Amino acid sequence: MLGFFLYFCDLDKNLNLSVRMKISYNWLRQYIPANLSPAEISEILTGIGLEVEGTELFQPVKGGLEGIVTGEVVSCEKHPGADKLTVTGVDTGNGRTLQIVCGAPNVAKGQRVAVALPGATLHMGDKTLTIKKTKIRGEVSEGMICAEDELGLGDSHDGIMVLEDSTVPGTLAAEYFNIENDTVFEIGLTPNRIDAASHFGVARDLAAWLGQSADARLIRPGTGDFRPDNNENPVEIAILDREKCIRYSGVTLSGVKVGPSPRWLQDRLRSIGLKPINNVVDITNYVLHETGQPLHAFDADMIKGGKVLVGVLPGGTGFKTLEGEILELSDEDLMICNADEGMCIAGVLGGSDSGVTGKTVNLFLESACFDPVSVRKTARRHGLATDASFRFERGTDPSATVHALKRAAMMIREIAGGAISSEVTDVYPEPVAPVKLEMDYEYIDRLVGMKIDRERIKKILELLEFRIINEDGGGLVAEVPLFRVEVTRKADVIEEILRIYGYNNIPSPLSVHSTISFSEKPDREKYLHSVSDMLSSLGFSEIISNSLTRSAWYKDLPEFPRENLVEIINPLSSDLDSMRQTLLFGGLEAVAYNANRKNPDLKLYEFGNVYSYSGSSGEKGDLERYGESHQLALFISGAAGPALWNNREKQSDFFDLKAYTEQVFRRLGVEPDDLEHDELQNSLFRYGLKLSAGKTALAEYGLVHPSLLEKAGIKNEIFCAGIRWNDLVSLSAEKATVFEELPRFPQARRDLAMELDKGVKFSTVREIALNAGQKLLKSITLFDLYEGDKIAEGKKSFAISFILQDMEGTLKDRQIDAVMERLATALEKEAGARIRK
């Protein structure tokens, strides 16, 4: 199909088909130290199903300290022309001493300093400064001795940054300060690959691919050295709702010091778009993005009664979130409670009273596995979306809770101090049994389309941490690891084999098998492609918008009542809570999306289904009450075409839309002039026309009402046409295709000017003329319309051209005059026209 573009690009977010996840190259290499470039890793990950949609450079310090080196101040003299300036000589290790004028009060001979050489660019917040060789009060200055804030390494501007005495002049500043630039991968993570929603998960897949041909060492974050320092602060844990909470593990730490995280930890989080908060919260986020296991830290002193109870609270109970918002809980919401009250919405969001603050000294760390359905319903019920709920909704590994808990506890003890003050309390009432699947080799061959070596199959499964329980000549029994929560069928296992083996390694077949197909008439797909090609050739671009929409669009809209919406149970969000009744709003969102990106000149079209419900709320289960139809929508806005030296820019208007709509009809063999035209003015259109065939409405088009444009955040005029595609195709099928001989005789044109009442439509004039002109009248065109003070009040003037032609011979003047006389008489009699001579 020509000219296909996806103009509205939020499908992934709205449909939840994939989510962009950021993976740090440097962080990834902690677990798989393979000597691979970012480009090579991108290619491998995309090939195994973790599509890298883009990469970006991350610099912990903006600019990466390029052009900045260390130096030694070898001389320091007062500036002869300024009391507050100093003329220094700085050895930068390049064999010569640079003269630099410095205004810092603390500069002194013998200091090691950071020097920005000429050409270096310093980034100070939103400001940038490029260093040049210059003169300051008559003295040459060949660089700049930098303060902490000028390097982007802190906020201090009290004076220059003085380095250690052992610093070697000429050392690159990036090397001295250990500034490590990073490449960040943006991976389009599909819902079935939650196991890869972490750096270790991605490393595991990468190691599996590399392990086919070489030994790929996968380094697991270790917790073997975990030892409680004492058992002075145990917390009792009880799971009251075992359906919603599968496993709950906890441990306490005492005497921690909450404060800023070390720079390496802050850089790791910043590289993937997270803002550092404090060392405790940062560690829980680090472990989450390392292992994929969400954690939550509580202030242990806020756990009343020394108990953690996992269950539900009565419906209507109030809960204050970390942001201070008060939520009204449902009796279906799983809560983490102390002996008196709720502290946290399980798997979703923490509470304000039990969170970690700068005053927190004692911690309780939580690591759990919750029921995905329960977490998803709770998150949607309250309109919440967090990193934790994202993972819990898709299913987490029940076997990972204790490992992640120990990992976080050890890091907190190392970074924030304190002691691990309890054993790990692990409540796991009904351990989850791994899925076991019997795999038949012939079935694998049939599904893949070729025979894969049996040893290769086993190796791939083992690299992916599937356990081979049993094998015979015809197949094997594989035990699925618990972190692969979505692998439940044989086809899922084959998909795992195939993505690591490589889809590109499957050869294309040399033969093609096909069957003769019969398509019913009318061929709706053929009609659709024909019109799509035509619109694309006219400069239109096709859009695809979401069938799910927000019900707020239909508020106070009589043409599409809200009670007729097909509502979604447990919607993804309030923006996707119902099925669309019209293509109009998806198109407006596409127009707004483009207008906000400086692309206001648009011609868009969309084919899509719309949905409706007709019945009372008590009849929702009656499928006969639901309707679905196919429609076509056109949208035009902005300039009708580019401005050229010989062609002034023209804005799209109603008549452009009318012409395009009529071209669609004519493409399907339906003549718009044969249809009924009615004026349109409602809450959708400020003005427009409605085309009908009898009682069947075929199309409505016009200027979109300003109130809807305001809702969509659009400032320009938008013209829209909505065509009921199924009805138009059905009407087209009723019309027989007639082939006629090309005319051999010339046409004749005659014009008439007439005065009519303002209420007389051109369609009425056309119908009268066709009846009077009989077979000689071929076409009628209105080429001028006048309403003004030159004619009587309540009147208007039409100037109409008539094309006459005889298929049997050349028309004589007397024949033409006779037809025109007949036309004038009919128009005067039936339309009340006064023919102007």
mmCIF file of all heavy atoms in Angstrom, residues 164 316 371 584 591 602 635 755:
data_model
loop_
_atom_site.group_PDB
_atom_site.id
_atom_site.type_symbol
_atom_site.label_atom_id
_atom_site.label_comp_id
_atom_site.label_asym_id
_atom_site.label_seq_id
_atom_site.Cartn_x
_atom_site.Cartn_y
_atom_site.Cartn_z
ATOM 1 N N GLU A 164 44.982 15.853 44.982
ATOM 2 C CA GLU A 164 45.991 15.228 45.836
ATOM 3 C C GLU A 164 47.391 15.578 45.334
ATOM 4 O O GLU A 164 47.629 15.733 44.131
ATOM 5 C CB GLU A 164 45.804 13.709 45.836
ATOM 6 C CG GLU A 164 44.476 13.266 46.442
ATOM 7 C CD GLU A 164 44.275 11.757 46.319
ATOM 8 O OE1 GLU A 164 45.152 11.092 45.727
ATOM 9 O OE2 GLU A 164 43.250 11.263 46.822
ATOM 10 N N GLY A 316 -13.223 0.538 51.969
ATOM 11 C CA GLY A 316 -13.457 1.892 52.438
ATOM 12 C C GLY A 316 -12.403 2.405 53.389
ATOM 13 O O GLY A 316 -12.412 3.587 53.745
ATOM 14 N N ASP A 371 0.448 -12.525 43.780
ATOM 15 C CA ASP A 371 -0.361 -12.996 42.662
ATOM 16 C C ASP A 371 -0.473 -11.883 41.615
ATOM 17 O O ASP A 371 -0.899 -10.768 41.936
ATOM 18 C CB ASP A 371 -1.754 -13.390 43.154
ATOM 19 C CG ASP A 371 -2.673 -13.753 42.005
ATOM 20 O OD1 ASP A 371 -2.351 -14.683 41.254
ATOM 21 O OD2 ASP A 371 -3.727 -13.079 41.859
ATOM 22 N N LEU A 584 -13.271 9.332 14.818
ATOM 23 C CA LEU A 584 -12.964 10.754 14.905
ATOM 24 C C LEU A 584 -11.904 11.061 15.956
ATOM 25 O O LEU A 584 -10.929 11.773 15.693
ATOM 26 C CB LEU A 584 -14.250 11.540 15.202
ATOM 27 C CG LEU A 584 -14.090 13.036 15.510
ATOM 28 C CD1 LEU A 584 -13.474 13.754 14.308
ATOM 29 C CD2 LEU A 584 -15.424 13.653 15.887
ATOM 30 N N VAL A 591 -3.700 13.979 14.880
ATOM 31 C CA VAL A 591 -3.462 15.352 14.418
ATOM 32 C C VAL A 591 -2.738 16.145 15.507
ATOM 33 O O VAL A 591 -1.770 16.861 15.235
ATOM 34 C CB VAL A 591 -4.797 16.029 14.035
ATOM 35 C CG1 VAL A 591 -4.579 17.513 13.783
ATOM 36 C CG2 VAL A 591 -5.403 15.367 12.804
ATOM 37 N N LEU A 602 -1.626 18.322 7.252
ATOM 38 C CA LEU A 602 -1.894 16.883 7.283
ATOM 39 C C LEU A 602 -3.026 16.485 6.354
ATOM 40 O O LEU A 602 -4.007 17.219 6.192
ATOM 41 C CB LEU A 602 -2.254 16.450 8.711
ATOM 42 C CG LEU A 602 -1.182 16.674 9.778
ATOM 43 C CD1 LEU A 602 -1.786 16.470 11.153
ATOM 44 C CD2 LEU A 602 -0.011 15.739 9.563
ATOM 45 N N PHE A 635 -9.091 13.000 7.315
ATOM 46 C CA PHE A 635 -8.779 14.207 8.084
ATOM 47 C C PHE A 635 -7.859 15.087 7.254
ATOM 48 O O PHE A 635 -6.850 14.598 6.723
ATOM 49 C CB PHE A 635 -8.076 13.851 9.401
ATOM 50 C CG PHE A 635 -8.849 12.929 10.294
ATOM 51 C CD1 PHE A 635 -8.713 11.547 10.171
ATOM 52 C CD2 PHE A 635 -9.716 13.426 11.244
ATOM 53 C CE1 PHE A 635 -9.419 10.684 10.978
ATOM 54 C CE2 PHE A 635 -10.426 12.573 12.063
ATOM 55 C CZ PHE A 635 -10.288 11.199 11.930
ATOM 56 N N GLU A 755 -32.551 33.273 -11.411
ATOM 57 C CA GLU A 755 -32.780 33.773 -10.066
ATOM 58 C C GLU A 755 -33.773 32.853 -9.377
ATOM 59 O O GLU A 755 -34.818 32.507 -9.947
ATOM 60 C CB GLU A 755 -33.317 35.202 -10.137
ATOM 61 C CG GLU A 755 -33.382 35.910 -8.807
ATOM 62 C CD GLU A 755 -33.851 37.348 -8.956
ATOM 63 O OE1 GLU A 755 -33.083 38.171 -9.487
ATOM 64 O OE2 GLU A 755 -35.006 37.621 -8.546
#
